[in-house]
Amino acid sequence: MSGDSDNRNNGGGDNWQARTHVMLKNPLAKPREGGNDCLVIIYARTTSHLGRRFVLTPTEGKCWVGRDTSNSIVIESDTCSRRHAYFELRGESWWVVDNKSTNGTYVNDEPANETQLRRGDHVRVGDTIFKYLAGSDVEAEFMQTIGTIMVTDGLTKAHNRRYFSEQLDKEILRAVRHGRPLSLIMFDLDYFKKINDNYGHLAGDFVLREVAALVRERIPPDVIFARYGGEEFALLLPETDLQSAFAVAEDLRNAVAERAFIYENVRLPVTASLGVAVLQENVRIGDELIKTTDAKLYTAKQSGRNRVVA
């Protein structure tokens, strides 16, 4: 597979997500009377932590989160401060308070020095993202959140690789049955490892979120958009021939190149290389279409990057 980053997802594994470890103390603590407000991990570098739940208990006072093992929620990551932030019940509402951390605390991607939480809010501490669940139907919310985690990348909100693979097989069968075209675009970000190395992994996460948002703005709803691994993304385009798919890819390439990615007052250098292929008559397996498209992506990178090859 092509790419610049050493965090690439190989063979369906999760090597690109193996940097953060989260330990939850007392995850089954008794909830306060009248509610079972909790935090659920929806994004972590170690995928085995996805879906872990921490019940917020007012009797424990402040619920601290950080690298130090004395915290209620321990995040072993260099992006997290030792005593990063805490959750506190004030009246009937939970608040998150940043503890002058190095990288800040964010609620729904906005800086949160001291913020009242509302059900469904996303709280980012370092490179771990929690979803805040509250109310009488927390169990239903929790199950719905787990369902979303199974098909969605928590950082970029694109579909994940598992969902993409399932949909690819279904769309190939449909395309073959009805004799309709099916195209695939695969792209990754040029020199993405340098962004992580020079500006930090949180800057890299920022770029990934912004690129994914940009893509969602520019594609129709029937296109299946997924984070395939690390800094690589895939778009599956039903009912789309090669020429039309190439036009979509070129539009995305140009949009990424022209977008100003500003992180902490620094403009980050971001471009993308893209490969495009259409399903051939003799192809019936998704891996074959992926292999063909990825070879086009590799050619795009080898021939100078920031270009589309079909």
Side-chain angles (χ1 to χ4, degrees):
M1 303 289 283
S2 61
D4 295 309
S5 173
D6 59 356
N7 291 328
R8 190 61 170 269
N9 190 339
N10 293 317
D14 295 307
N15 296 334
W16 62 282
Q17 289 183 317
R19 199 159 40 81
T20 301
H21 179 62
V22 181
M23 295 185 296
L24 300 184
K25 291 186 176 181
N26 197 20
L28 300 178
K30 184 179 179 181
R32 65 189 174 95
E33 184 177 354
N36 52 350
D37 302 351
C38 62
L39 301 168
V40 180
I41 298 174
I42 62 171
Y43 180 79
R45 299 286 172 173
T46 302
T47 55
S48 61
H49 298 140
L50 296 177
R52 288 191 178 182
R53 174 164 54 171
F54 181 79
V55 177
L56 294 169
T57 1
T59 55
E60 293 182 351
K62 296 176 180 178
C63 174
W64 282 89
V65 56
R67 277 204 333 268
D68 195 273
T69 56
S70 64
N71 293 293
S72 297
I73 305 175
V74 181
I75 302 178
E76 295 181 351
S77 167
D78 56 7
T79 65
C80 189
S81 298
R82 292 187 180 278
R83 298 277 277 181
H84 195 105
Y86 62 85
F87 298 89
E88 183 178 42
L89 184 65
R90 300 177 182 177
E92 291 298 312
S93 301
W94 283 96
W95 291 65
V96 60
V97 181
D98 184 71
N99 190 41
K100 298 181 180 179
S101 63
T102 301
N103 292 314
T105 302
Y106 293 81
V107 175
N108 302 326
D109 291 330
E110 295 294 330
N113 294 324
E114 189 167 345
T115 302
Q116 180 181 353
L117 295 179
R118 305 182 187 281
R119 58 187 296 176
D121 280 349
H122 290 185
V123 181
R124 179 158 53 91
V125 177
D127 50 15
T128 298
I129 302 175
F130 300 90
K131 184 176 182 179
Y132 171 64
L133 305 183
S136 58
D137 57 347
V138 162
E139 287 304 316
E141 282 190 86
F142 177 68
M143 295 307 298
Q144 183 179 25
T145 300
I146 294 300
T148 300
I149 289 172
M150 294 296 291
V151 299
T152 306
D153 173 60
L155 179 67
T156 63
K157 299 181 177 63
H159 290 299
N160 58 24
R161 181 169 177 167
R162 175 189 296 177
Y163 178 86
F164 170 79
S165 297
E166 292 174 352
Q167 295 305 307
L168 176 60
D169 291 339
K170 291 179 181 178
E171 289 298 333
I172 287 178
L173 288 174
R174 193 171 73 88
V176 171
R177 183 182 304 118
H178 299 289
R180 303 297 297 165
L182 175 67
S183 293
L184 175 63
I185 299 171
M186 299 187 74
F187 73 91
D188 67 13
L189 305 181
D190 301 325
Y191 302 112
F192 184 73
K193 186 176 184 298
K194 290 184 178 180
I195 294 177
N196 282 332
D197 292 345
N198 294 336
Y199 304 100
H201 287 281
L202 292 183
D205 286 352
F206 163 79
V207 169
L208 292 172
R209 288 196 305 273
E210 290 294 301
V211 168
L214 182 153
V215 172
R216 286 196 299 272
E217 292 170 0
R218 306 183 79 88
I219 58 174
D222 60 329
V223 173
I224 298 166
F225 172 49
R227 185 182 180 190
Y228 194 72
E231 76 280 14
E232 186 174 8
F233 295 87
L235 296 99
L236 189 61
L237 296 84
E239 309 283 336
T240 306
D241 60 22
L242 186 62
Q243 182 178 359
S244 299
F246 183 91
V248 171
E250 180 59 28
D251 176 69
L252 293 176
R253 183 208 62 77
N254 188 61
V256 171
E258 291 187 348
R259 176 71 64 94
F261 294 86
I262 308 297
Y263 180 77
E264 295 186 346
N265 299 319
V266 176
R267 181 164 182 166
L268 304 178
V270 182
T271 58
S273 298
L274 303 93
V276 187
V278 67
L279 184 69
Q280 300 297 318
E281 290 184 2
N282 61 335
V283 173
R284 297 292 185 272
I285 300 174
D287 286 347
E288 294 182 15
L289 180 57
I290 290 172
K291 183 178 179 179
T292 301
T293 312
D294 201 60
K296 302 293 185 181
L297 169 57
Y298 181 79
T299 300
K301 301 184 81 66
Q302 291 298 106
S303 57
R305 296 179 171 80
N306 189 24
R307 63 192 61 207
V308 180
V309 171

